Amino acid sequence: MTASSDAVSPSRRAPRRLGPFGVPPIGLGCMNLSHAYGVPPTPQEAELLLRTAVAEGVVLFDTAALYGFGANEELVGRVLGAHRDAIVLASKCGMTGVDGRRVIDGRPETIRRTADEALARLRTDVIDLYYLHRLDRRVPVEESVGAMAELVTAGKVRALGLSEVSASTLRRAHAVHPIAALQNEYSLWSRNPEQGTLQATRELGVALVAFSPLARGFLTGAPPEPTELPAKDIRLGMPRFDAAHYPGNLALRQQLAAVAADHGCTLAQLALAWVCAQGEHVVAIPGTRSVTHLRENLATLDLAVPAEALDAAGRILDATTVHGARYNDTTLAEIDTERCGRAG
C-alpha cells in the first residue's frame, strides 16, 4: 500500500471474488449476535446492527447452524429477508448443537438434513455459500463435500466452502467440487494460513475468508478484561486470554496502538487493513454487536494505511511474539489447520 492520502484507492473498495460473487473486502461475521461471547444482545439490538450493516454497504453476511444452535440463522433470515437479493448469504454445516452440546458431524445424511433446516431458518430457497464448518475426522472430506455438491446440483446451494482446514484437505475437496472459499482464523496474532492455505487459496482461485481478524476483540479500542468475561464466554478457555499469557499480549497491543495512533487510524482499523493487505483474494469478516464499531471497521476501506505501518504491525505481533496458543489442546486436536510456530 502507498502513503496516506485523501483519495480512496479503487483497490480497497473493489469487489473481491468469492466464487461467482463479488463482495467488498470487509463483510460481517454474525456469530456474536447469538453465540460464544456470553449473554447475546437483545433482539432489537441485533436487528439494528444487521439493518445498519446493510445500509452501510455490507454484502457478505456469515452465519452457521452452530451459532445459537439455529438462533443466529433464524435472526439473519428474519431481519435480512427483505434484502435477500442485495446480499451474499453464507452459512455452515458439519458442526451443530445436539441436546445442548456442540457436535462435529460430517456425514452426508447429516449435511443434507442440516441444509434443509438452514434453508427454513434463513427463509430462503438457496444459500449462496455453504461451508463445511469443521472436518469430521471419521468421514473422508470427499464424502462430506460430495454431499454438499449434491446440494448445488439440487439448487439449494450456489457455492461451497470449507472452514478450519489445511491446504492438503482443501486440495482434496477441490478435486471433488470447486471450492469458492476457505474460512480460517487469520489476524496479526493468528498466522496459521501463512503455513500453506494462503498460498493454496491463491493458486486455486479460492477466496480466503478471515474470521476473527480483530483477535476476538483483543485488537480493538476496548480489549476484554479476562477476569470480567461472562460465564460461558469462549475466551475463558483460550490460552491467550489466561493469566499466564494475557499481560504479555497486552504489552504487544500497546505497541500496536502506538503505531495506529502515529498513522491516524484506530487499532482495529490497523488490524483490518493488515489482513486485507495480505492478498486480493482475502476477505475479512469481523463481528461486532456495536453499530459504532461496525462503522469504524467499515471505514477502514476509506483509509490509506501506509505500508510501513502495516509492516511494523506485522513484526510487532506474529506467531513468534504472541503469548499462548489460539485454542486449548482439546480444541486444537479437532482442527485440521496447519499449526503455527509455538502458538499452535
Side-chain angles (χ1 to χ4, degrees), residues 33-97:
L33 298 178
S34 309
H35 189 81
Y37 296 112
V39 179
T42 67
Q44 295 77 15
E45 291 168 336
E47 290 178 16
L48 175 62
L49 190 285
L50 290 173
R51 296 188 193 284
T52 303
V54 172
E56 294 289 335
V58 173
V59 173
L60 177 60
F61 290 82
D62 184 273
T63 181
L66 177 71
Y67 303 160
F69 294 0
N72 197 249
E73 287 181 326
E74 291 178 351
L75 168 69
V76 170
R78 182 178 72 253
V79 177
L80 298 184
H83 307 281
R84 182 66 185 89
D85 293 340
I87 67 173
V88 172
L89 181 60
S91 194
K92 308 179 193 72
C93 62
M95 186 162 64
T96 59

Side-chain angles (χ1 to χ4, degrees), residues 128-150:
D128 295 320
L129 175 61
Y130 206 41
Y131 291 97
L132 182 67
H133 203 159
R134 287 288 189 276
L135 176 67
D136 184 344
R137 297 188 184 279
R138 303 164 300 175
V139 181
V141 71
E142 290 85 355
E143 291 186 19
S144 297
V145 172
M148 295 169 70
E150 293 174 2

Side-chain angles (χ1 to χ4, degrees), residues 81-329:
H83 307 281
R84 182 66 185 89
D85 293 340
I87 67 173
V88 172
L89 181 60
S91 194
K92 308 179 193 72
C93 62
M95 186 162 64
T96 59
V98 178
D99 297 329
R101 296 175 56 252
R102 179 178 63 88
V103 174
I104 297 174
D105 186 348
R107 293 175 297 172
E109 59 268 29
T110 302
I111 287 171
R112 288 189 287 266
R113 185 185 71 249
T114 303
D116 288 338
E117 293 169 349
L119 288 165
R121 288 192 289 256
L122 291 167
R123 305 186 186 189
T124 186
D125 295 327
V126 61
I127 298 169
D128 295 320
L129 175 61
Y130 206 41
Y131 291 97
L132 182 67
H133 203 159
R134 287 288 189 276
L135 176 67
D136 184 344
R137 297 188 184 279
R138 303 164 300 175
V139 181
V141 71
E142 290 85 355
E143 291 186 19
S144 297
V145 172
M148 295 169 70
E150 293 174 2
L151 298 174
V152 177
T153 301
K156 297 180 179 182
V157 169
R158 291 195 170 106
L160 301 184
L162 303 173
S163 177
E164 289 275 46
V165 303
S166 63
S168 61
T169 299
L170 169 63
R171 293 183 189 278
R172 287 170 55 194
H174 196 69
V176 175
H177 187 280
I179 300 299
L182 172 60
Q183 184 176 141
N184 279 355
E185 184 172 357
Y186 196 25
S187 68
L188 284 165
W189 80 356
S190 290
R191 302 296 191 89
N192 305 71
E194 296 171 4
Q195 301 302 307
T197 53
L198 185 63
Q199 181 60 29
T201 49
R202 185 182 293 113
E203 291 174 2
L204 296 172
V206 175
L208 178 64
V209 177
F211 77 83
S212 295
L214 296 178
R216 303 185 185 276
F218 180 74
L219 297 176
T220 66
E225 173 49 59
T227 60
E228 298 177 0
L229 290 175
K232 297 185 179 180
D233 189 302
I234 60 172
R235 291 169 291 189
L236 291 171
M238 294 179 172
R240 290 177 183 175
F241 291 93
D242 67 26
H245 299 116
Y246 200 64
N249 288 326
L250 282 177
L252 296 171
R253 182 190 175 281
Q254 186 174 8
Q255 296 178 51
L256 288 171
V259 172
D262 286 345
H263 293 278
C265 63
T266 68
L267 177 54
Q269 289 168 342
L270 176 66
L272 285 173
W274 182 90
V275 170
C276 291
Q278 301 314 302
E280 291 297 319
H281 68 305
V282 177
V283 176
I285 51 166
T288 184
R289 299 174 176 181
S290 163
V291 168
T292 298
H293 293 163
L294 170 71
R295 290 179 170 140
E296 175 189 349
N297 294 344
L298 297 176
T300 304
L301 299 178
D302 297 327
L303 302 174
V305 182
E308 57 265 30
L310 300 180
D311 291 343
R315 289 192 302 271
I316 292 168
L317 182 57
D318 67 10
T320 66
T321 62
V322 68
H323 297 262
R326 68 188 184 109
Y327 288 124
N328 59 38
D329 290 342

